[in-house]
Amino acid sequence: GDSVTQMEGPVTLSEEAFLTINCTYTATGYPSLFWYVQYPGEGLQLLLKATKADDKGSNKGFEATYRKETTSFHLEKGSVQVSDSAVYFCALSDTMYSGGGADGLTFGKGTHLIIQP
Amino acid sequence: GAGVSQSPRYKVAKRGQDVALRCDPISGHVSLFWYQQALGQGPEFLTYFQNEAQLDKSGLPSDRFFAERPEGSVSTLKIQRTQQEDSAVYLCASSQVEREQFFGPGTRLTVL
């Protein structure tokens, strides 16, 4: 079955540091890949997505590139801020955008990011 | 426009009680999903509706869990005879078909 593995947290960085959160996946087909963010006390929000190999998703200074050869979708940001402190989830869908119907997302366990001033 | 809303936001139940959790999706969204998120874990898929049809319920952990969406809009997740292992945050998401899912704030269920 499908699965997503992401680095365990918490990850603690100083403000303006470079961020990488690793995510690798296992899927049967050509999945679409997502990063969701959960700020304290709020619901899950879509941060960025990529629907095919070599696509780069980007939003709010965050980027992730869909690497089919390494089955990875690592999240990066060049200079983090205190306001980026949150839990980040990598997720995939086997059928979204593929014409295969719809299915639930498969999520990783989440990575808690703490940015210190 | 309004996002996905869920009620109640918090629910405390005694073991053995039945609970009902409500989800109001974004207006016009055909697809509706329920997820269960245990403490420190990622959300896990429970069930999926397209309009009023429940097309996938493969993630429901037992026959004590039941979901419905009778008019293709509001959905209710019902848990009968709650047990301690049912304690979790229950998330609802809605979407256009095959598009991004938008999540509600969740209902935190605590079973004592």
Side-chain angles (χ1 to χ4, degrees):
Chain A
D2 295 347
S3 67
V4 174
T5 302
Q6 59 183 109
M7 59 193 296
E8 303 260 340
V11 172
T12 304
L13 296 172
S14 297
E15 206 165 21
E16 299 184 3
F18 183 85
L19 168 72
T20 300
I21 301 178
N22 290 336
C23 171
T24 57
Y25 67 89
T26 303
T28 51
Y30 246 114
S32 295
L33 302 173
F34 306 86
W35 277 100
Y36 277 83
V37 59
Q38 191 169 36
Y39 297 105
E42 299 185 16
L44 280 168
Q45 302 174 25
L46 178 65
L47 180 60
L48 53 84
K49 70 177 188 289
T51 59
K52 60 183 186 296
D54 300 324
D55 266 4
K56 178 185 284 186
S58 61
N59 186 25
K60 298 183 180 180
F62 291 89
E63 293 182 339
T65 301
Y66 187 163
R67 300 288 188 201
K68 184 173 183 292
E69 63 276 13
T70 55
T71 60
S72 65
F73 193 54
H74 305 320
L75 182 67
E76 296 182 336
K77 186 174 185 182
S79 176
V80 293
Q81 305 300 313
V82 172
S83 57
D84 293 327
S85 298
V87 181
Y88 292 81
F89 293 92
C90 186
L92 70 82
S93 168
D94 254 340
T95 57
M96 207 176 297
Y97 300 99
S98 69
D103 64 352
L105 293 164
T106 299
F107 284 89
K109 291 187 177 182
T111 302
H112 187 192
L113 176 65
I114 301 169
I115 306 300
Q116 297 178 332
Chain B
V4 178
S5 60
Q6 294 185 245
S7 60
R9 292 293 310 278
Y10 303 91
K11 177 69 178 177
V12 178
K14 293 183 179 179
R15 190 172 52 184
Q17 281 185 330
D18 298 348
V19 299
L21 312 180
R22 177 187 168 107
C23 172
D24 284 83
I26 293 172
S27 177
H29 277 189
V30 169
S31 300
L32 186 145
F33 302 81
W34 284 99
Y35 294 84
Q36 180 190 59
Q37 185 176 16
L39 187 64
Q41 303 295 314
E44 292 194 358
F45 170 75
L46 294 178
T47 187
Y48 159 63
F49 290 86
Q50 186 166 322
N51 295 307
E52 69 278 5
Q54 189 174 18
L55 299 186
D56 187 348
K57 54 182 181 180
S58 62
L60 295 176
S62 77
D63 58 8
R64 296 187 295 103
F65 287 71
F66 172 76
E68 60 184 5
R69 193 185 186 198
E71 297 179 358
S73 179
V74 171
S75 177
T76 303
L77 176 67
K78 298 180 179 179
I79 309 173
Q80 298 177 324
R81 305 181 302 281
T82 53
Q83 300 178 5
Q84 285 189 322
E85 60 261 32
D86 300 334
S87 296
V89 176
Y90 290 85
L91 298 171
C92 175
S94 71
S95 74
Q96 301 289 3
V97 176
E98 298 189 22
R99 291 296 180 261
E100 294 92 312
Q101 295 179 25
F102 294 84
F103 283 80
T107 294
R108 182 178 298 277
L109 172 65
T110 302
V111 181
L112 302 177

